[in-house]
């Protein structure tokens, strides 16, 4: 053990949970950005999800250097299961869920934690940008925090957002800090599926929260243009976004929130479905097109809604192309979509 090994914290201010699966190429940069946080009172839980590359040896190396780091191992079960495992052993006052191929501003946890304590917040949301691995350049993800939908107060409830709630934030966790007791009290968990496993956790946390606060600082750097990433191989698990939307609706109903967010949910379901359709490649795209047209739009409650229920004309027109043009083929949809 290194003589410079950092002392373990008994009751950390923040628990950082990071699922790892074959992330060796970028893992060191991620780890360095976490262990060098200006907030030192943290525990760092890496959950290796059955990696077959050098990730395990890298994790062991850092675990031997820094006693704040714990490495947990599981058979490959995807990031949702890994996050749940990390959540089950976390002991921090607040929780941060990060991704192993991203990296973070060194002051992120300290500033977010201090903001959370100042505002007595259950959730802190901050800004992020995208780091393009091909061009080595950054671009702001301005849509990840859309303040135009939010109240002007420094802390507000999810239900204080009166229109288009699901456009105010994005359903990922790595640009947010969560109060641990709040997460436990609400029984929040991640879906154990290949992709879109954090949507349910994130939106249920936000919808139920009484005190959300926003920071304008860009703290998280999300790596894009990785050919092997889940984001780039979404067609292998195209059903996951649909399962996430169904689970979200069920949870909203269970907590008597669905009626409050119904119109927002329907609009979000349409937008997210179209985003996934437009992002698909190969034979998966026409397959998803058929599923949406014949089954999923109806199940999500989109079918049969009057046109004034939809917030964005472009999304409505794409939906009409799919559903209402007689015998419209997938190829015809693509041609007509270009004219919208």
């Amino acid at each position: 053990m290194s003589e410079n090994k950092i002392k373990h914290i008994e009751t950390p201010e923040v628990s950082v949970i990071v699922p790892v699966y074959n992330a060796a190429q970028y893992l060191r940069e991620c780890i360095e950005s976490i262990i060098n946080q200006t907030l030192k009172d943290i525990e760092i839980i890496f959950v290796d999800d059955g990696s077959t590359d050098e990730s395990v040896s890298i994790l062991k190396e850092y675990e031997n250097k820094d006693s704040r780091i714990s490495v947990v191992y599981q058979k490959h079960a995807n990031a949702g299961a890994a996050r749940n495992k990390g959540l089950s052993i976390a002991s921090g006052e607040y929780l941060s869920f990060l991704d192993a191929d991203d990296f973070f501003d060194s002051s992120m946890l300290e500033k977010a934690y201090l903001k959370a304590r100042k505002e007595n917040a259950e959730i802190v949301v901050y800004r992020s940008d995208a780091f393009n691995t091909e061009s080595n350049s950054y671009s702001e993800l301005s849509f990840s925090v859309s303040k135009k939908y939010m109240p002007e107060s420094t802390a507000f409830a999810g239900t204080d957002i009166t229109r288009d709630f699901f456009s105010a934030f994005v359903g990922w966790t790595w640009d947010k800090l969560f109060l641990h007791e709040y997460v436990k009290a609400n029984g929040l968990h991640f879906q154990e599926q290949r992709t879109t496993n954090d949507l349910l956790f994130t939106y249920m946390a936000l919808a139920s929260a009484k005190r959300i606060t926003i920071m304008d600082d860009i703290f998280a750097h999300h790596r894009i243009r990785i050919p092997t990433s889940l984001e780039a191989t979404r067609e292998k698990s195209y059903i996951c976004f649909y399962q996430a939307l169904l689970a979200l609706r069920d949870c909203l109903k269970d907590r008597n929130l669905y009626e409050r967010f119904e119109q927002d949910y329907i609009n979000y379901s349409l937008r997210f479905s179209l985003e996934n359709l437009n992002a698909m490649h190969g034979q998966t795209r026409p397959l998803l097109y058929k599923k949406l047209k014949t089954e999923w739009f109806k199940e999500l409650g989109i079918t049969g809604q009057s046109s004034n229920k939809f917030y964005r004309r472009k999304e409505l027109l794409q939906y009409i192309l799919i559903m209402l043009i007689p015998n419209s083929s997938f190829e015809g949809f693509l041609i007509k979509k270009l004219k919208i």
Side-chain angles (χ1 to χ4, degrees):
M1 184 180 298
S2 169
E3 293 181 358
N4 296 321
K5 187 169 181 179
I6 298 174
K7 185 180 178 181
H8 178 66
I9 304 299
E10 293 294 333
T11 52
E13 292 170 335
V14 176
S15 294
V16 181
I17 298 170
V18 186
V20 179
Y21 180 66
N22 291 348
Q25 184 175 1
Y26 307 112
L27 185 55
R28 288 183 184 277
E29 185 175 10
C30 173
I31 296 174
E32 290 287 339
S33 73
I34 298 171
I35 64 175
N36 290 313
Q37 288 288 308
T38 56
L39 184 67
K40 301 303 181 185
D41 187 0
I42 62 177
E43 70 174 351
I44 309 164
I45 303 169
F46 291 99
V47 183
D48 182 75
D49 185 37
S51 294
T52 57
D53 66 357
E54 297 299 313
S55 295
V56 171
S57 62
I58 294 172
L59 291 173
K60 287 180 178 179
E61 173 191 334
Y62 279 94
E63 186 178 27
N64 288 331
K65 292 178 181 178
D66 191 333
S67 63
R68 298 175 301 173
I69 293 177
S70 299
V71 182
V72 182
Y73 302 92
Q74 66 177 29
K75 292 182 179 180
H76 184 51
N78 296 310
R83 290 187 176 111
N84 285 335
K85 179 166 283 190
L87 181 58
S88 71
I89 62 175
S91 59
E93 182 184 356
Y94 280 83
L95 301 169
S96 174
F97 299 94
L98 306 180
D99 286 353
D101 51 5
D102 295 339
F103 56 103
F104 312 95
D105 184 90
S106 62
S107 65
M108 176 179 75
L109 295 180
E110 181 177 18
K111 290 181 177 177
Y113 176 76
L114 291 175
K115 179 71 168 177
R117 292 298 301 269
K118 178 182 178 181
E119 302 295 343
N120 192 26
E122 293 155 332
I123 305 172
V124 180
V125 185
Y126 36 85
R127 295 191 179 274
S128 55
D129 59 23
F131 177 72
N132 189 317
T133 55
E134 295 175 353
S135 63
N136 202 39
S137 61
Y138 296 85
S139 56
E140 186 178 352
L141 299 172
S142 58
F143 59 86
S144 65
V145 180
S146 297
K147 295 179 77 172
K148 65 181 180 180
Y149 299 110
M150 302 175 192
E152 293 184 0
S153 54
T154 56
F156 55 88
T159 51
D160 289 339
I161 298 176
T162 58
R163 177 184 170 91
D164 215 1
F165 169 83
F166 299 100
S167 293
F169 314 96
V170 177
W172 53 46
T173 54
W174 41 261
D175 62 351
K176 301 172 181 73
L177 192 70
F178 301 88
L179 180 64
H180 195 173
E181 283 300 320
Y182 169 72
V183 169
K184 288 195 294 186
N186 283 273
L188 299 174
H189 66 280
F190 293 85
Q191 282 184 280
E192 298 190 0
Q193 57 183 28
R194 183 175 183 269
T195 54
T196 325
N197 58 73
D198 51 354
L199 181 148
L200 174 66
F201 179 100
T202 306
Y203 278 133
M204 285 309 303
L206 291 163
S208 304
K210 302 302 182 186
R211 293 191 66 81
I212 303 168
T213 192
I214 306 299
M215 301 182 72
D216 281 327
D217 306 74
I218 296 175
F219 285 146
H221 309 294
H222 175 53
R223 199 182 297 272
I224 61 173
R225 298 292 188 267
I226 305 174
T228 57
S229 70
L230 292 179
E231 190 173 347
T233 59
R234 192 169 293 271
E235 67 273 2
K236 294 181 180 180
S237 51
Y238 74 93
I239 195 173
C240 288
F241 85 88
Y242 173 66
Q243 293 173 326
L245 288 173
L246 294 180
L248 175 60
R249 182 178 64 189
D250 289 345
C251 279
L252 288 170
K253 288 182 176 180
D254 287 345
R255 302 189 184 197
N256 297 315
L257 288 169
Y258 183 69
E259 185 176 351
R260 167 65 181 77
F261 290 113
E262 182 176 9
Q263 187 172 353
D264 294 351
Y265 172 85
I266 290 169
N267 275 269
Y268 175 61
S269 292
L270 176 58
R271 173 162 59 87
F272 198 38
S273 296
L274 293 173
E275 285 176 359
N276 275 270
L277 177 62
N278 293 330
M280 291 297 163
H281 303 284
Q283 292 302 310
T284 304
R285 205 175 186 195
L287 179 61
L288 175 55
Y289 172 87
K290 183 177 180 180
K291 281 286 188 183
L292 290 170
K293 179 180 176 67
T294 60
E295 301 176 41
W296 292 0
F297 279 150
K298 181 178 180 180
E299 180 58 34
L300 292 169
I302 298 167
T303 302
Q305 298 290 335
S306 61
S307 60
N308 62 6
K309 291 289 186 180
F310 296 96
Y311 297 147
R312 284 167 283 276
R313 179 177 178 272
K314 185 174 181 179
E315 293 168 4
L316 175 60
L317 291 177
Q318 286 194 40
Y319 168 70
I320 291 172
L321 285 177
I322 295 171
M323 293 297 296
L324 302 182
I325 297 177
N327 301 319
S328 61
S329 66
F330 177 66
E331 292 77 12
F333 162 73
L334 291 178
I335 293 171
K336 290 181 172 61
K337 185 171 79 71
L338 294 175
K339 298 179 181 179
I340 294 177

